[in-house]
Amino acid sequence: MGMIEDIAAKLGLKDSKQLMLVAGGAAVVGVLLLTSKSKKAGSSAKAVGSKADCDLDSKEGVLQVLKEMTTSQVQSRKQMKELATEAQTKSLSLSQACKRCNEMKVMDPLDKYNLSMVQFNTILSKHEDDPAVKQAITSLMGSPAGGVAATEASQTLNAKKLIEIHNFMLGEFEKLAASDKGSRDAKTVTFAAQALVTGKTEAAFKLSSEDIESAVLAQQGALSTSPEFCDTNLKLQQAMSKLMGNLA
């Protein structure tokens, strides 16, 4: 079992993809990134990327990358909120959102190590019993050390409402999958699509992405045993696979 899968199990989630869903803004960006990057994964992960001097065979090297990913995630979330607001205000298409994504220069720390998320997860599995690495991953996945940081609005969201929200997001991703992307880069399309869906979801339900994320974490017990929620997650993954089809 990889470390991400182990953390998913501890949170009561059925698999790591559900953890990725929890991790990302409006509860979908993580699995989008995992899906897009998995296409680049080889049969084995290299310990040292060619673009950066970092020994990923060592615990220290892994912690360095996780720290960079956490720092980058803070910036990416700010960029996500900015693009989501702009997309909603200006009614941007997916191709227009991709163009804005490129202009915003959204960065991925793993790029400089020439690693996909799947490859990095293989490296993480070598340190799966290390408490410091586990804590770093938990923080990266959006589960604070002191527990879930509930927002006022999130406390009003029950499992039924969260399923409704996820079904709405599913519908929006299915629409985007059939639209002109305006980019061949999977990560650009991923980020732009997430921003569009985030903006539409926030507007439709009068909630922030933080409200939804917090509620998903708080309700994860009920959601993980809900056949409807699991079915929606599966359909989300299928919609995102279609969205990423034939991209680099």
Side-chain angles (χ1 to χ4, degrees):
M1 177 182 289
M3 191 176 301
I4 290 179
E5 286 81 1
D6 181 56
I7 291 174
K10 285 180 172 56
L11 288 175
L13 303 177
K14 293 189 178 213
D15 57 45
S16 61
K17 290 184 176 66
Q18 288 189 9
L19 177 60
M20 293 295 185
L21 285 171
V22 168
V28 287
V29 70
V31 72
L32 279 168
L33 292 175
L34 181 61
T35 300
S36 65
K37 291 178 184 177
S38 65
K39 295 183 179 182
K40 300 181 181 178
S43 59
S44 62
K46 294 182 179 180
V48 182
S50 61
K51 295 184 181 179
D53 182 17
C54 180
D55 180 11
L56 294 181
D57 277 332
S58 70
K59 166 187 169 181
E60 291 72 21
V62 169
L63 287 173
Q64 177 183 324
V65 176
L66 286 170
K67 182 178 180 181
E68 290 178 20
M69 291 175 71
T70 300
T71 300
S72 175
Q73 180 173 264
V74 173
Q75 177 62 20
S76 293
R77 288 195 177 209
K78 290 180 181 178
Q79 292 174 312
M80 176 69 68
K81 290 182 72 69
E82 178 184 337
L83 184 55
T85 299
E86 181 179 345
Q88 189 63 20
T89 301
K90 298 181 180 180
S91 299
L92 297 183
S93 66
L94 179 55
S95 60
Q96 290 171 327
C98 284
K99 181 179 179 180
R100 283 291 294 123
C101 183
N102 288 327
E103 293 170 351
M104 295 169 73
K105 301 186 185 302
V106 177
M107 303 299 294
D108 178 3
L110 291 182
D111 282 348
K112 72 178 183 180
Y113 299 104
N114 287 333
L115 290 173
S116 70
M117 189 67 236
V118 173
Q119 290 173 319
F120 189 51
N121 190 29
T122 300
I123 294 172
L124 289 177
S125 67
K126 301 175 184 178
H127 305 274
E128 60 186 0
D129 294 322
D130 187 275
V133 176
K134 282 187 176 182
Q135 182 55 56
I137 295 175
T138 302
S139 297
L140 174 64
M141 291 301 168
S143 181
V148 178
T151 65
E152 183 177 351
S154 71
Q155 296 180 59
T156 67
L157 300 177
N158 56 25
K160 181 178 179 180
K161 190 65 176 180
L162 288 170
I163 292 171
E164 178 186 346
I165 292 171
H166 277 72
N167 279 324
F168 175 86
M169 292 192 290
L170 171 60
E172 293 303 316
F173 274 109
E174 288 176 336
K175 292 176 186 176
L176 292 176
S179 67
D180 176 46
K181 301 175 180 63
S183 174
R184 300 293 301 170
D185 181 70
K187 286 181 286 186
T188 298
V189 175
T190 289
F191 196 90
Q194 168 65 6
L196 291 175
V197 174
T198 295
K200 288 183 177 296
T201 303
E202 291 182 339
F205 293 93
K206 310 301 181 185
L207 296 166
S208 70
S209 57
E210 291 81 7
D211 294 331
I212 299 170
E213 179 181 354
S214 176
V216 168
L217 285 168
Q219 296 288 332
Q220 54 87 14
L223 293 173
S224 65
T225 58
S226 167
E228 185 177 359
F229 184 72
C230 293
D231 181 61
T232 299
N233 273 349
L234 178 59
K235 290 179 180 178
L236 271 169
Q237 293 166 34
Q238 293 170 343
M240 289 181 284
S241 292
K242 184 177 179 180
L243 180 69
M244 295 298 109
N246 299 319
L247 295 180

PDB file of all heavy atoms in Angstrom, residues 170-184:
ATOM      1  N   LEU A 170     -20.267  17.207 -11.781  1.00  0.00           N
ATOM      2  CA  LEU A 170     -20.168  16.175 -12.809  1.00  0.00           C
ATOM      3  C   LEU A 170     -20.766  16.667 -14.118  1.00  0.00           C
ATOM      4  O   LEU A 170     -20.161  16.518 -15.189  1.00  0.00           O
ATOM      5  CB  LEU A 170     -20.886  14.907 -12.343  1.00  0.00           C
ATOM      6  CG  LEU A 170     -21.076  13.796 -13.382  1.00  0.00           C
ATOM      7  CD1 LEU A 170     -19.730  13.310 -13.914  1.00  0.00           C
ATOM      8  CD2 LEU A 170     -21.890  12.654 -12.790  1.00  0.00           C
ATOM      9  N   GLY A 171     -21.948  17.261 -14.037  1.00  0.00           N
ATOM     10  CA  GLY A 171     -22.603  17.780 -15.234  1.00  0.00           C
ATOM     11  C   GLY A 171     -21.762  18.832 -15.932  1.00  0.00           C
ATOM     12  O   GLY A 171     -21.666  18.861 -17.168  1.00  0.00           O
ATOM     13  N   GLU A 172     -21.125  19.704 -15.141  1.00  0.00           N
ATOM     14  CA  GLU A 172     -20.292  20.761 -15.722  1.00  0.00           C
ATOM     15  C   GLU A 172     -19.053  20.181 -16.389  1.00  0.00           C
ATOM     16  O   GLU A 172     -18.637  20.635 -17.469  1.00  0.00           O
ATOM     17  CB  GLU A 172     -19.897  21.772 -14.642  1.00  0.00           C
ATOM     18  CG  GLU A 172     -21.061  22.585 -14.093  1.00  0.00           C
ATOM     19  CD  GLU A 172     -21.794  23.346 -15.173  1.00  0.00           C
ATOM     20  OE1 GLU A 172     -21.129  23.963 -16.039  1.00  0.00           O
ATOM     21  OE2 GLU A 172     -23.042  23.326 -15.175  1.00  0.00           O
ATOM     22  N   PHE A 173     -18.429  19.180 -15.766  1.00  0.00           N
ATOM     23  CA  PHE A 173     -17.256  18.557 -16.380  1.00  0.00           C
ATOM     24  C   PHE A 173     -17.621  17.815 -17.654  1.00  0.00           C
ATOM     25  O   PHE A 173     -16.840  17.791 -18.615  1.00  0.00           O
ATOM     26  CB  PHE A 173     -16.562  17.612 -15.391  1.00  0.00           C
ATOM     27  CG  PHE A 173     -15.573  18.309 -14.507  1.00  0.00           C
ATOM     28  CD1 PHE A 173     -15.845  18.496 -13.160  1.00  0.00           C
ATOM     29  CD2 PHE A 173     -14.378  18.791 -15.013  1.00  0.00           C
ATOM     30  CE1 PHE A 173     -14.944  19.152 -12.343  1.00  0.00           C
ATOM     31  CE2 PHE A 173     -13.463  19.449 -14.200  1.00  0.00           C
ATOM     32  CZ  PHE A 173     -13.739  19.625 -12.860  1.00  0.00           C
ATOM     33  N   GLU A 174     -18.790  17.205 -17.670  1.00  0.00           N
ATOM     34  CA  GLU A 174     -19.224  16.502 -18.880  1.00  0.00           C
ATOM     35  C   GLU A 174     -19.425  17.488 -20.030  1.00  0.00           C
ATOM     36  O   GLU A 174     -19.107  17.177 -21.180  1.00  0.00           O
ATOM     37  CB  GLU A 174     -20.496  15.716 -18.592  1.00  0.00           C
ATOM     38  CG  GLU A 174     -20.257  14.491 -17.705  1.00  0.00           C
ATOM     39  CD  GLU A 174     -21.529  13.754 -17.341  1.00  0.00           C
ATOM     40  OE1 GLU A 174     -22.611  14.387 -17.364  1.00  0.00           O
ATOM     41  OE2 GLU A 174     -21.436  12.562 -17.024  1.00  0.00           O
ATOM     42  N   LYS A 175     -19.924  18.679 -19.722  1.00  0.00           N
ATOM     43  CA  LYS A 175     -20.074  19.711 -20.751  1.00  0.00           C
ATOM     44  C   LYS A 175     -18.703  20.139 -21.274  1.00  0.00           C
ATOM     45  O   LYS A 175     -18.510  20.300 -22.484  1.00  0.00           O
ATOM     46  CB  LYS A 175     -20.814  20.929 -20.182  1.00  0.00           C
ATOM     47  CG  LYS A 175     -22.267  20.691 -19.830  1.00  0.00           C
ATOM     48  CD  LYS A 175     -22.853  21.941 -19.177  1.00  0.00           C
ATOM     49  CE  LYS A 175     -24.266  21.701 -18.670  1.00  0.00           C
ATOM     50  NZ  LYS A 175     -24.790  22.901 -17.940  1.00  0.00           N
ATOM     51  N   LEU A 176     -17.756  20.339 -20.360  1.00  0.00           N
ATOM     52  CA  LEU A 176     -16.425  20.782 -20.758  1.00  0.00           C
ATOM     53  C   LEU A 176     -15.694  19.734 -21.589  1.00  0.00           C
ATOM     54  O   LEU A 176     -14.916  20.062 -22.487  1.00  0.00           O
ATOM     55  CB  LEU A 176     -15.586  21.130 -19.519  1.00  0.00           C
ATOM     56  CG  LEU A 176     -16.026  22.357 -18.726  1.00  0.00           C
ATOM     57  CD1 LEU A 176     -15.167  22.525 -17.480  1.00  0.00           C
ATOM     58  CD2 LEU A 176     -15.957  23.616 -19.592  1.00  0.00           C
ATOM     59  N   ALA A 177     -15.950  18.466 -21.280  1.00  0.00           N
ATOM     60  CA  ALA A 177     -15.283  17.379 -22.007  1.00  0.00           C
ATOM     61  C   ALA A 177     -15.633  17.409 -23.492  1.00  0.00           C
ATOM     62  O   ALA A 177     -14.850  16.944 -24.329  1.00  0.00           O
ATOM     63  CB  ALA A 177     -15.670  16.029 -21.403  1.00  0.00           C
ATOM     64  N   ALA A 178     -16.794  17.963 -23.806  1.00  0.00           N
ATOM     65  CA  ALA A 178     -17.241  18.004 -25.197  1.00  0.00           C
ATOM     66  C   ALA A 178     -16.933  19.342 -25.877  1.00  0.00           C
ATOM     67  O   ALA A 178     -17.288  19.549 -27.028  1.00  0.00           O
ATOM     68  CB  ALA A 178     -18.750  17.739 -25.258  1.00  0.00           C
ATOM     69  N   SER A 179     -16.256  20.249 -25.156  1.00  0.00           N
ATOM     70  CA  SER A 179     -16.001  21.581 -25.691  1.00  0.00           C
ATOM     71  C   SER A 179     -14.581  21.713 -26.228  1.00  0.00           C
ATOM     72  O   SER A 179     -13.730  20.848 -26.013  1.00  0.00           O
ATOM     73  CB  SER A 179     -16.233  22.633 -24.603  1.00  0.00           C
ATOM     74  OG  SER A 179     -15.258  22.506 -23.573  1.00  0.00           O
ATOM     75  N   ASP A 180     -14.323  22.814 -26.944  1.00  0.00           N
ATOM     76  CA  ASP A 180     -12.985  23.101 -27.462  1.00  0.00           C
ATOM     77  C   ASP A 180     -12.069  23.480 -26.308  1.00  0.00           C
ATOM     78  O   ASP A 180     -12.402  24.343 -25.499  1.00  0.00           O
ATOM     79  CB  ASP A 180     -13.055  24.248 -28.471  1.00  0.00           C
ATOM     80  CG  ASP A 180     -11.681  24.654 -28.966  1.00  0.00           C
ATOM     81  OD1 ASP A 180     -10.882  23.762 -29.304  1.00  0.00           O
ATOM     82  OD2 ASP A 180     -11.403  25.864 -28.998  1.00  0.00           O
ATOM     83  N   LYS A 181     -10.909  22.829 -26.224  1.00  0.00           N
ATOM     84  CA  LYS A 181     -10.021  23.032 -25.079  1.00  0.00           C
ATOM     85  C   LYS A 181      -9.050  24.195 -25.275  1.00  0.00           C
ATOM     86  O   LYS A 181      -8.662  24.850 -24.322  1.00  0.00           O
ATOM     87  CB  LYS A 181      -9.259  21.743 -24.781  1.00  0.00           C
ATOM     88  CG  LYS A 181     -10.191  20.568 -24.460  1.00  0.00           C
ATOM     89  CD  LYS A 181      -9.409  19.274 -24.291  1.00  0.00           C
ATOM     90  CE  LYS A 181     -10.339  18.113 -23.966  1.00  0.00           C
ATOM     91  NZ  LYS A 181     -11.300  17.820 -25.034  1.00  0.00           N
ATOM     92  N   GLY A 182      -8.607  24.405 -26.478  1.00  0.00           N
ATOM     93  CA  GLY A 182      -7.694  25.514 -26.722  1.00  0.00           C
ATOM     94  C   GLY A 182      -6.284  25.275 -26.242  1.00  0.00           C
ATOM     95  O   GLY A 182      -5.454  26.187 -26.249  1.00  0.00           O
ATOM     96  N   SER A 183      -5.976  24.069 -25.792  1.00  0.00           N
ATOM     97  CA  SER A 183      -4.629  23.732 -25.315  1.00  0.00           C
ATOM     98  C   SER A 183      -4.419  22.231 -25.437  1.00  0.00           C
ATOM     99  O   SER A 183      -5.376  21.454 -25.315  1.00  0.00           O
ATOM    100  CB  SER A 183      -4.441  24.166 -23.855  1.00  0.00           C
ATOM    101  OG  SER A 183      -3.193  23.711 -23.342  1.00  0.00           O
ATOM    102  N   ARG A 184      -3.163  21.838 -25.660  1.00  0.00           N
ATOM    103  CA  ARG A 184      -2.823  20.419 -25.709  1.00  0.00           C
ATOM    104  C   ARG A 184      -2.162  19.959 -24.422  1.00  0.00           C
ATOM    105  O   ARG A 184      -1.822  18.780 -24.284  1.00  0.00           O
ATOM    106  CB  ARG A 184      -1.868  20.153 -26.889  1.00  0.00           C
ATOM    107  CG  ARG A 184      -2.444  20.514 -28.248  1.00  0.00           C
ATOM    108  CD  ARG A 184      -3.583  19.619 -28.636  1.00  0.00           C
ATOM    109  NE  ARG A 184      -3.194  18.216 -28.687  1.00  0.00           N
ATOM    110  CZ  ARG A 184      -4.050  17.207 -28.822  1.00  0.00           C
ATOM    111  NH1 ARG A 184      -5.350  17.448 -28.888  1.00  0.00           N
ATOM    112  NH2 ARG A 184      -3.612  15.966 -28.886  1.00  0.00           N
TER     113      ARG A 184
END
